[in-house]
Structures are given as C-alpha cells and as structure tokens.
Amino acid sequence: MAIKKSSQTFIQKSSEWIRKPKKSDANLKDYFKTYQSFRWKSVEKEFDWHKTGKVNMVHEIIDRHAQGARKNKVALYFWDPASTQVYPRGRDEKYTFLDLKKSSSRFGHVLKKCGVKKGDRVAVFLPRTPELYISILGIHRVGAIPVPLFEAFMETAVLDRLSDSQASVIVTNTALKGRVPFEKLNHLKGVILVDELEVSRSENQDNEPACDFCDVYNYFEEMKLASESLEPVWLNKDDGLVIHYTSGSTGKSKGVLHRQYAMVGHLQTSKWVLDLREDDIYWCTADPGWVTGTSYGIYGPWSLGASSVVLGGRFSAERWYEAIQKYSVTVWYSAPTAFRMLMAQGKTLPKKFNLKSIRHICSVGEPLNPEALRWIRAITGVAPHETWWMTETGMHIICNFRSLDFKLGATGRPFPGTYASVVDDKGKEVAPNTLGNLVVKTGWPSLMKEIWKNKAKFDEYFELKGWYKSGDSAYKDKDGFIWFAGRVDDVIKTAGERVGPFEVESALIQHPAVAEAGVIGKPDQVRGHIIKAFISLRPGFSPSDHLKAEIADFVKKNLAAHAAPREIDFRDSIPKTRSGKIMRRVLRAWDQGLPVGDVSTMDE
Ligand code: WT7
C-alpha cells in the first residue's frame, strides 16, 4: 500500500543517548569497521558441514556439542512451578547437550515409526515443555520440517495451518487434541500424544481415540522403547528448516518456510546482537510457536552452545523475576509488552529479587517505548536493546548493539552483511528524515525460502527490484539510525503478536448474529494495540453488552484468545470500496472520532 505522505519530514523524536556499558567487552568490538569488511561466507566455517558437506540443524546445534567439550554442559533449564495432576510439585529439570542428543534420537525413531520422511511436515502443538523442544529436535533429525503451532490456537487456526502445510503427523497432548479437527484432516497419518501414561490411559478410557484413521502413539511409552542413537538424515543447505505461520493484511495466515542455511544468520546474530558467550545463562521468553522462539530460542543460542532457560506456564511477574534470580540469568531476550506488564506490577516486587546477574537485554516485536526502557534499566541496571526483524527475515536485521551508544527510541542500525534503507513507492531511497517504506537489500542467509505453496504472496515482498519490502514504514536520520514509524499495511501487533484483520473478520462472521465485520488495531498503553471490531448485525439481532461479550468469546474459542476483539462497536454497515474491500482507514477514523476524509470510493 502506498505511503500517502512520503515527502513528510519528521522531527527527531528524541536526542537522548543511551550510553554503552563502561566496560566495553562486547563480542562485536567495532561495528563500523566490521560493517565495512564483514562477509557472510566467513561464518560458514563455524559449522561442521563446511568440512563434511552434510547439513542438518540438529547436528550443528546439538550433536556437535554432545560429541565434544560441551557434552555435559546444560543446554536447557526447564522450570514450571505450577502443579498439575501429573507433576504435583511442578517441573524443575536440566538437560545437557548429550541428553538432548539422546532424547531427540529416540523421538526420531518414533517419527520413523509413524512413517515420517525427509521433507515431510510435522506439526507440534504443545505447551512450552521439554517435550516441545525434544520434538522439534527429533523432527530435524529425520530431515522433516517442524510446523510449531502456538498452544493458544483454537480449532479454526489449527485447521488452517494443518491443512495448508499438509502435515503428516501431529505431536500434541490430551488437553489440546480436542482442538484438532481430525475428521477434516485426512492427510494426517499419525498422532503422538505427550501425556504421562496413567493420565492418557484413564483419559482414553472414557474419551474418543484421538483420530480414528491415524495411528495414535503415546510419547513416553514410545520414547522408552526407542534407541538413543540415530544419525541425522543429511540434507542440503537449501532444504527446508521450519515453517512459521504468520499474518498478512489480507487472506489467511501464510506459511513462512526457512531453509537450513538460515543457521549462518542465527549464529552470527546471536553472537553479535545477543552477545552470547560460553558462560552465559540465556533466557528467551518467546514460545517456539513464534519465530523468536525458534531462531533465538533454539537455533542461534544452541549453535553457539549456550545454556538456555525455558519457563513454562503463563505469565506472572513474580515468577519471571524469580526465574532471573533462580538461574542467575545473564542475557535476557523479551518484548516491550512483557516489560510493560512487569512495569504495571510496580516497583516493590522486583526489589524482592536479585536481578544483578543480568548483563545484556534485547527486545523485539514492537517499538520499545522510552518509559519501558527506563523502567527496565532502573530495576536491572541494563537498558534493553532494540532488535527489529520479522518472521520472514528469519534473523535480526536492525538493532542497537551492545558496543554502541544509541538514541533513545531509535530502532538501530543494520546488522553487518545487511543493508536496510527507506525508499519511496518506486524503490528509490529517500532523503534523511523522510518517511518511507522500510526495505532490506536481498541476499542475507536467513531470508525466507518461500511462502508455502503461495508464490504470488512470496513475490509481493520483492516488488521493488533488489529489495525485500517489510510492510513497515520508517525513516533514517542523519546519523544512520533507522526509526520504525508503523505498519504500512493493516497488520495488527497486539501484545507483540501479529494478527491479520482478515482472520479475525472471517472468524467474526461465523457468528450467527454478525452480518459484516471490520477489524483494526487500536493504540493501547500496555499491549501496543488492541483488536477492535466494527460489526453490523443480521436482522433480528440487537446490540447489547451481552452480545459483545458473546461474540468476543466466540472468536476466543474458535481462533485464539489473543486474536479476540477487546472492543466491539455496532454499526449499521461496514464501509467498503466498490470492489468490496473493507476501508480500515474509515474504521480508524471512526475509532479516533476523526473526520473520515475522502469516501468517494465507498459503496454508499
Ligand atoms: C513485525 C514483524 C521477528 C520477531 C518478532 C516479530 C514489528 C518487530 C520490532 C521493533 C518496532 C517491530 C514490525 C515487523 N516489529 N520488531 N524492534 N520495533 N517494530 O515478528 O510477528 O513477524 O512481526 O513486528 O512491524 O514488521 P513478526
């Protein structure tokens, strides 16, 4: 979509500088010098495939360490204090690289038993548990492609993603399996249920079997029987790595497929942006259902042999602080919305915990507002550093680096080996401080390989010759800092999660009372944006608070809680163009109580 005011000049938002730590010991010493000389090729020698020609992510992130000096180093610390029927005292576990080599080998055998082969897609629909990580590693081992599904997804979201990816096997559990509409997924051959024996047995007695045409396996039972050694299936650099479904402004969610070679980008950005070192205890708060949780919750940090913390369960400020203290976390990767949620709990709580172990913090997902930055700096002594990137870019692109001072509010500078810029609608770079399309010169290692089965969507990103078009607007200042300004399209970022208005609208019109629906993001203090829906009702229904709640709940139950509208306004009709496109510009104006502007293309 065109940026209307591409000639608009921006006044710099702030001139306050955040200074780098006094002790300048960052992995990336001299950004400017490195930016001039760095070549991606130089990173390839970090990987065993450089010598052997045999590629597989699981070898580079697990086996390589398990066969060497990091064999007994803890790769994964897992903590979920919430008590359940199966784990009455919660879970508090450690897995070394060798443990993960063995368990992912066992799981590889289970997958082979289900008939999984190289290139097959295997969906993983599990809460954040060690089994989720082991499943993903096992899928890599047999050369298949994991499709992680965020545990909050409900039936419609699960159905869309499973049928688009044509997954042959799904790894899930008894609690979540009810949201998998097996009868509509006849490409499924196997279901692996991750449940303690007793629980799944007793559940299964009075429950329907998960799927009547596929083979159903019990994870723990099968793992016990399987051998703990399995050589990875060797792949090529271009073979598939992972598919993450993400939203666009139109249509259903799209499957972003990455390639094995992306590991080159994961490793180097983890070294220079996350600044990971041998003795770090690293905590990435993202779920592997989202790209941050794989690129920087699995691939990058483990390619460097780092120790990672994973916290299970729901958000709780107290538990987050406690986790930092419990593990003496040194590097923390989280999101503005989480920082604001911690902030909302007040200053007393963090004082009860020792947070002094932290030496570096990064942030992703939406702009980090100055108040959140200052607040996190006040409680930890460390200022969070911006990282801008996308599901499609696969790795960090624009960042603030630990060895550089940065301007408060600026998104940062391009990672060495990438070139990010701001262009007009024809792809011509604009003058400093001019708003335009945020683009990146194509050709970095982690750029997506394709949009699964959708070449037309893929091609849309590369309309401007030589550039990857992000869909964000931004400007570059005279000092070379890039400042994120907003989305150019209608994609909504709510609590850091990307939601497509079309998916929500499609869910809304399934409700019997809804005739038409239009969805926008409404600015919000804590969540960045909330989802707001404008709805026209079918004859026979009248507006009420009760109906609002019922409709919101309907989306919650069918799509996902994070995609449900937090605000609903009833209108007689929804503004549309002659071709039937919802005019979200008008909805936004309605929401803000502003004049609607030129509506000459509207229907009525
Ligand atoms: C969109 C991509 C890939 C990590 C998680 C998000 C927004 C991301 C920033 C940032 C301002 C940001 C952009 C981008 N975004 N990071 N540091 N400052 N905005 O991935 O869900 O694919 O979303 O998130 O709008 O296009 P995603």
Side-chain angles (χ1 to χ4, degrees), residues 107 110 114 125-126 131 135 169-178 180 182 190-197 199-201 203-204 207-211 215-223:
F107 193 67
V110 182
C114 295
F125 185 36
L126 287 174
E131 293 72 37
S135 299
V169 168
I170 181 166
V171 192
T172 185
N173 67 18
T174 306
L176 295 174
K177 77 167 200 272
V180 185
F182 290 103
V191 183
I192 302 171
L193 290 177
V194 183
D195 286 306
E196 281 279 285
L197 287 178
V199 171
S200 55
R201 277 209 189 110
E203 285 269 348
N204 278 336
N207 237 346
E208 304 258 308
C211 171
D215 296 322
V216 182
Y217 298 93
N218 179 289
Y219 175 96
F220 290 105
E221 201 167 87
E222 296 296 331
M223 290 290 274

Side-chain angles (χ1 to χ4, degrees), residues 458-511:
F458 181 79
D459 290 344
E460 281 174 19
Y461 291 91
F462 305 97
E463 279 165 0
L464 303 172
K465 222 178 161 343
W467 300 109
Y468 162 84
K469 198 171 145 192
S470 68
D472 285 356
S473 62
Y475 59 96
K476 202 188 260 191
D477 71 16
K478 290 206 170 65
D479 299 316
F481 282 104
I482 292 171
W483 299 69
F484 167 89
R487 286 294 302 181
V488 184
D489 59 19
D490 294 323
V491 166
I492 304 165
K493 273 292 176 132
T494 177
E497 277 161 27
R498 189 164 151 184
V499 174
F502 179 85
E503 246 190 321
V504 185
E505 288 156 3
S506 310
L508 282 165
I509 55 173
Q510 307 285 315
H511 188 280

Side-chain angles (χ1 to χ4, degrees), residues 1 47 70 308 414 478 505 546:
M1 210 187 279
F47 299 98
R70 297 194 184 101
S308 267
K478 290 206 170 65
E505 288 156 3
H546 175 78

Side-chain angles (χ1 to χ4, degrees), residues 246 291-292 363-368 386-392 411 470 472 484 487 493 496-498:
T246 193
V291 72
T292 311
S363 169
V364 66
E366 39 173 340
L368 176 63
E386 279 278 24
T387 65
W388 177 96
W389 57 297
M390 306 175 66
T391 308
E392 294 88 335
T411 312
S470 68
D472 285 356
F484 167 89
R487 286 294 302 181
K493 273 292 176 132
E497 277 161 27
R498 189 164 151 184

